[in-house]
Structure formats: C-alpha cells, structure tokens
Amino acid sequence: MDTLQLVIPTLFGLEGLAAEELRRLDLSGVAAENGRVFCSASPADIPRVLLGLRTGERALVVLGRFYAADFDALFEGVRALPWERFIPKGGAFPVKGHSLNSALRSVPACQSIVKKAVAARLGAKYGLETLPEDGALHQIQFSILKDEVTVMLDTCGPGLHKRGYRAVGVAAPLRETLAAAMVMLSKYRGRDPFCDPFCGSGTIAIEAALIARNRAPGLNRSFTAQKWDWLPSKLWMAAADEAMDKEFHGDYDIWGGDIDPYAVEIARSNAVKADVEDCVRFEVADATRFHRDEPYGRVVTNPPYGERIMEKKEAEELYRAFGQTVRGLPQGWKVSVLSSHTEFERTFGRTADKRRKLYNGMLKCDLFQYTGKK
Ligand SMILES: C[S@@+](CC[C@H](N)C(=O)[O-])C[C@H]1O[C@@H](n2cnc3c(N)ncnc32)[C@H](O)[C@@H]1O
C-alpha cells in the first residue's frame, strides 16, 4: 500500500509536542494545525504511532479531502474514495462526524449520506446488494469545516489517553495525554528526583515513570486497527519489539503524595497495572509539608482548582501554604503547577517564569512554570 496520511487530534496547546513526538518516531510531512497534526505514514508506521505517541488523542487515516456544499457532492465525493482497499467484504463501517460553519449542517443527514455512499461503492466492488457488516470494526469519521469534507478511518477505538492502567470512578483525574505533556514540558529526563505532591490517582507520576523508562504508553492496550486485514500482525509485533528494545532499565526516584489515603491506594494499584510499580512510590502526605534536600529536582503537579466559591477560598489557602513550602526547596528545583484558578500566581506568592495555556478536557488551565536557579 502507498504512503498514507494520518491526522492526530490533540488537546489544544499540545499540537507542537505531538508534532515533535511524531518527528522523533521518524514520520515525515509532519504539520501541526489548531488541535491536530498531520503526517505521512506507511502502514508499518501506524502501529508504531499508536504504541509510541504520548500526547495525541487518537490517530485516523485520512482517506480523502474535498469540498461539498450539498448532499450530492458529499455522496459523490465519498463514493469516489477507494474504500475496498481499507474495508473488506464483511467489515463493519459505522459513521460519525461533525460539521462547523458549513452549508451541510445536519450531522445525522450527512452520516446517512456517507454511509450510503460507502455501501454503494463496496456493494458494487464486492457484488453484494447487502453488506453483512459482521466483521472487524472500521469506524468512519468525517469532519466538515467551511464546506471542506475530510473523511477518515479511526485506528484506535478508545482514545489514546486510555493507556489501560487507570481505575474507573476516580474524582477529577487528569487526562493521561495532558499529564504526559506536563512531564515533557518540565524537561524531565529521568535523572533528577520527580515529585507530584497532589498526586490523586497518580497519573502524572505514572506518566513520568513511563517517560523515564522510555516505555511506549500503548503497550498495555489494544487498538481496533489490530483487526484490519491490511495491517497484519507482523507489523504490530515489529512495532512492539522496536518499542521494547528502546526501553531503559535504570533506577528512578519518582514520588507521589496525596492527603487522601484512598487516592494513594488507587495510585498504587494504577502503577501496578502500568508495570511501573518498581520505580514510583506513593505515600499519604500533606503537600503543605513537602520537603526534599536534593539540590535538583522537579515538582509537576495539579492541585485542586476549587471550582465552587467556598472551595475557591480553600484552594487559595492551599496555594498560599504550598507556595511557602515550595520556596523552602533547594534552588535547583523546577516547579510546574497546572491550575484553572485565575488568582493562582497571586496566592501562590510568585509570578511564573513561564505560563502556558492548556486544556484539561473543556476546562481552560494554565501551566505555571517556575524554572529554578542553577
Ligand atoms: C485535582 S486532584 C489531582 C488529580 C491527579 N492529577 C490525577 O490524575 O488523579 C487534587 C488532589 O489533591 C489532593 N489534596 C488536597 N489537599 C491536599 C494536601 N494538602 N496535600 C496533599 N494532597 C492534597 C486531593 O485529595 C486530590 O486527590
């Protein structure tokens, strides 16, 4: 199969990091846009991207881009694409999508047109009036933006942030992709001590452990594309071998603390599921008493935001106390704090050296970075 185009949607603010990761995975034609990154890929690259990417939300194969301002143009544009190269006779092909600032506004109507066009093409190619759709899932996605239609196939199933290690039902957890991005932005390389004093379910510390080990985040889960005929299992095995060959096996000092014993219990069990329990420690601890004596280190953390009025006041008290604690650390410590609280810097007591806008789901946050003095 020829070179394909992939599109990687990302959380807003993470496009540059995802693009950098793709380049490091040796992909070419990498181009970041708002909320997504495009790149060229061979079929063998797809498992490599799915296993290795830390900051992308999913990976989709772009099958075509064309303009359509009415249903006929949508139907013809979709029918003209070479679906038989990607979807076998029995393949299931549900359709979902979205439309923004376009003449074709009704998403359900577009879904049904796309479905009919794909069925017409495959039916003609396979000589079938009704397609059984009893085989592997090939989720079709379309986006229509200012009348430009992009038609894609989702390779993932559950999003890439679902690494397979996190317990369900935890309050306010951070997305794994965002946690990985925070660790990467702190320039943590596995050498200095790494601490998250508000660790909750442990996401930041676990992502730090995966990064320190250079362990591919997708190794503990499966993807829908594993069942596709044109991505044979030897490609997945080669990608897994390549990823495992790149792992490091050093000693790492990664610590997470939380005042809530239940959160600590969950963090520990998540670390076991992520296979990093031998390099992360979790303890019940009050972040306002956090201290370390080592001259260098990283704190990367996500304290409570205090979304409601009363909680907001409590959050401010906590930031004040935590600010004092952080000022007691040796000067080589770099501190990154993610918060949506508008008064964070004032209550923490220091203006950040760097500030970066990030989104925790729909919630707009800032990553306040204090770079320390060497
Ligand atoms: C926004 S959550 C962190 C979520 C975490 N990043 C995750 O992915 O699960 C904030 C955490 O701070 C903890 N916390 C609140 N006050 C604390 C304190 N004084 N010391 C330590 N942890 C505290 C809460 O129990 C909660 O788990």
Side-chain angles (χ1 to χ4, degrees), residues 168 225 266 302 354:
V168 284
I266 300 228
N302 159 225
K354 259 194 210 164

Coordinates of all heavy atoms in Angstrom, one line a residue, residues 168 225 266 302 354:
V168 N -11.4 3.0 37.1 CA -12.6 3.9 36.8 C -13.1 4.5 38.1 O -12.8 4.1 39.2 CB -13.7 3.1 36.1 CG1 -13.4 2.8 34.7 CG2 -14.1 1.8 36.9
A225 N -7.5 -1.2 15.0 CA -6.8 -1.4 13.7 C -6.0 -2.8 13.8 O -5.5 -3.3 12.7 CB -5.8 -0.3 13.4
I266 N -5.4 3.9 45.2 CA -5.7 3.8 43.7 C -4.5 4.1 42.9 O -4.2 3.4 41.9 CB -6.8 4.9 43.3 CG1 -8.0 4.6 44.1 CG2 -7.0 4.9 41.8 CD1 -9.3 4.6 43.4
N302 N -0.9 19.1 40.0 CA -2.2 19.5 39.6 C -3.0 19.6 40.9 O -3.8 18.6 41.2 CB -2.7 18.5 38.6 CG -4.1 18.4 38.4 OD1 -4.7 17.3 38.3 ND2 -4.8 19.5 38.2
K354 N 7.3 31.1 33.3 CA 6.7 30.8 32.0 C 5.2 30.4 32.3 O 5.0 29.7 33.4 CB 7.4 29.6 31.4 CG 8.3 29.9 30.3 CD 8.6 28.6 29.6 CE 10.0 28.6 29.0 NZ 10.5 27.3 28.7

